[in-house]
Amino acid sequence: QTFHIAADEPAQLAIARWLSGGTRWNMFDHSTWRPGMATLMVPLFWITDDTATIMRGGLLIAAALGGVGAVVLARLAARITPMTPLACVLSAGVVALAPSSLSATAFVWAEGLVTVTFLGSLALVIAFYDHGRHSAGIAAIVLSVVGFTAHGRLLPMVAVVAVLVIGRSVVERRWKQALTFCLVAGGWAVLGAGYATWIFRNVWDEPGSSNTVGTVMKRLPNVTDNVQSAIGQTWYQLVATAGLFGIGGAALARAAVRRRPRPTGTLDVDVEIDLAEALSPLPPFVAPVVSPRHARLVLACTVPLVGVSMVFMSGRTRSDHRIYGRYNDAVLWPLLIVAIAWLVELRRAHRP
C-alpha cells in the first residue's frame, strides 16, 4: 500500500525509529521538527516493522489525541461557560469534529498533541486561579513544556503559563510557592530543550534553521508581510468557522474589560466599561457568557500563539501560506466554545 506523507511526517517517523533503537534515518539539513509526537510513537516500532501498521498506529494515536482534546474542551466549557453539561459535551463534539479539527489529526504530526497540551495547560491555569491549588500550577507548567516539546510555536505558552502562575503567587505573597514554580519552570524548560537538542544532533547532520526562534524574530520587522499574514489568517478563520471565530473573540474581549461586580448600598451592581459596549460588535442585551477573569486567562494564553503563527507564516512564497490556518486551528477551540455559548444565550434572550 502507498501512503501520502506530508512534509512533517518523515521527521516524526525518523525520530520515533531512532528512539526505538532502530536504524537511523538521516534528516540531513532539513528543517527540524520537535520530538513530542514521535516519542508517543516509539512503542509502534517495538511492536512491528511493518510500514502500514506503523502508519495506521500513528494515525490512531493522532485520532486518540483528538478525542482527548474533545474531553478536555468539554470540561473547560463546563468551567468557564454557563452551558449545561450536556450542551458542553455536544458543543465540544461539534468543535472537535469540524473539518479543520479533523484535518489536524489526519496526519502523523504534532497537531493533536498541540491541542491537548494547550487545552490542558489553559484548564490547569484556570483551575489554579479559581482554587489556588499548588498542584494545578505545577501541572500547568509541566504540560506547557510538553507542548513546546511537541511544537516550537508553543514556546510563548511556556512563558505565559509561568508568568501567570508565578505572578499570582507573588501578588499573594506566597514566596515559597513562587520559588517552587520558578524551579519547576526552569528545570522542565532545560529538560525539554535538552531532549530536543539531543534528538536534533543524532537524527540531523546539519539541522536547518527555518523552524527556530531566531528565524521568527528576523521576520518581526517586516511589517507589511506580517499584516498581510494577519489579514489572510483572520479571513481564513472567519470563513472556516462560519464566523464563530469572530463571535468568540468579540465575546472574550468584551468580557475581559468588564469590571467585577461592586457593592452599591446593599445591592451588587454589575458596572461595565462604556468603551467595551461601544466597541463590541455583539448585541448588548445578551449577558456575557464568560467571567472577566476567565476571559483574560483565555486571551492571555491564546493571543500570543495566534501572533506567532501570523509572524512565522509571513513572507512565504506558496499561495496557501497567504491564508494559512493550521497553526491556529489547534489553539482556537476555546474561542469557538465561547462563541457557541454566546449563541445559546442569544437564543435564550430572544425567547418570549
Side-chain angles (χ1 to χ4, degrees):
Q1 295 183 3
T2 302
F3 291 89
H4 168 74
I5 297 182
D8 299 57
E9 292 177 299
Q12 300 296 335
L13 294 169
I15 295 170
R17 183 180 179 87
W18 183 77
L19 285 173
S20 70
T23 305
R24 174 180 181 258
W25 290 353
N26 195 337
M27 293 300 295
F28 298 101
D29 60 351
H30 289 287
S31 299
T32 55
W33 282 265
R34 302 187 75 82
M37 177 64 177
T39 303
L40 298 180
M41 294 178 60
V42 168
L44 296 175
F45 285 88
W46 291 339
I47 296 171
T48 181
D49 59 359
D50 179 68
T51 305
T53 302
I54 290 171
M55 285 298 297
R56 290 195 182 98
L59 293 171
L60 283 174
I61 292 173
L65 289 170
V68 172
V71 173
V72 177
L73 183 64
R75 293 182 63 87
L76 181 64
R79 179 177 291 275
I80 69 174
T81 73
M83 291 191 295
T84 65
L86 178 59
C88 290
V89 171
L90 294 176
S91 300
V94 169
V95 173
L97 293 176
S100 58
S101 302
L102 290 177
S103 65
T105 57
F107 297 91
V108 181
W109 56 17
E111 298 311 297
L113 188 55
V114 166
T115 298
V116 170
T117 52
F118 168 74
L119 291 175
S121 298
L122 174 59
L124 287 165
V125 167
I126 290 175
F128 174 71
Y129 269 72
D130 286 350
H131 306 295
R133 289 199 301 267
H134 185 77
S135 58
I138 291 178
I141 293 172
V142 172
L143 198 57
S144 69
V145 174
V146 173
F148 177 53
T149 306
H151 202 287
R153 73 182 191 269
L154 294 191
L155 176 60
M157 185 176 72
V158 179
V160 169
V161 168
V163 168
L164 288 174
V165 298
I166 294 171
R168 177 66 180 271
S169 301
V170 170
V171 168
E172 295 181 349
R173 299 178 180 272
R174 299 180 180 179
W175 307 116
K176 290 184 179 180
Q177 186 180 71
L179 178 60
T180 300
F181 289 157
C182 287
L183 293 174
V184 171
W188 275 85
V190 169
L191 286 174
Y195 180 52
T197 301
W198 176 62
I199 296 293
F200 298 156
R201 288 177 177 173
N202 284 280
V203 182
W204 277 260
D205 282 345
E206 297 181 12
S209 61
S210 61
N211 290 345
T212 62
V213 175
T215 300
V216 175
M217 296 300 292
K218 289 179 181 178
R219 292 194 173 103
L220 279 176
N222 302 326
V223 177
T224 301
D225 289 342
N226 290 330
V227 170
Q228 289 177 346
S229 179
I231 292 172
Q233 292 192 26
T234 300
W235 178 86
Y236 162 84
Q237 290 297 339
L238 290 171
V239 173
T241 65
L244 291 179
F245 166 69
I247 295 173
L252 285 170
R254 176 187 172 192
V257 296
R258 293 177 66 244
R259 295 172 184 167
R260 292 181 179 180
R262 65 184 185 186
T264 300
T266 57
L267 299 176
D268 284 349
V269 179
D270 195 10
V271 181
E272 297 185 5
I273 298 176
D274 293 338
L275 180 61
E277 293 294 349
L279 297 180
S280 175
L282 304 179
F285 55 80
V286 180
V289 294
V290 185
S291 71
R293 172 196 284 173
H294 291 162
R296 291 164 193 156
L297 291 174
V298 172
L299 290 174
C301 291
T302 305
V303 171
L305 301 184
V306 173
V308 165
S309 172
M310 291 175 176
V311 174
F312 182 66
M313 298 309 300
S314 65
R316 304 288 181 137
T317 56
R318 265 176 30 195
S319 58
D320 64 301
H321 286 163
R322 298 284 184 178
I323 56 170
Y324 204 73
R326 174 167 69 93
Y327 288 160
N328 288 332
D329 289 339
V331 300
L332 290 179
W333 287 22
L335 267 73
L336 303 184
I337 277 291
V338 170
I340 294 172
W342 186 89
L343 291 174
V344 171
E345 289 298 313
L346 176 65
R347 182 173 180 272
R348 212 172 271 168
H350 278 293
R351 283 179 180 172

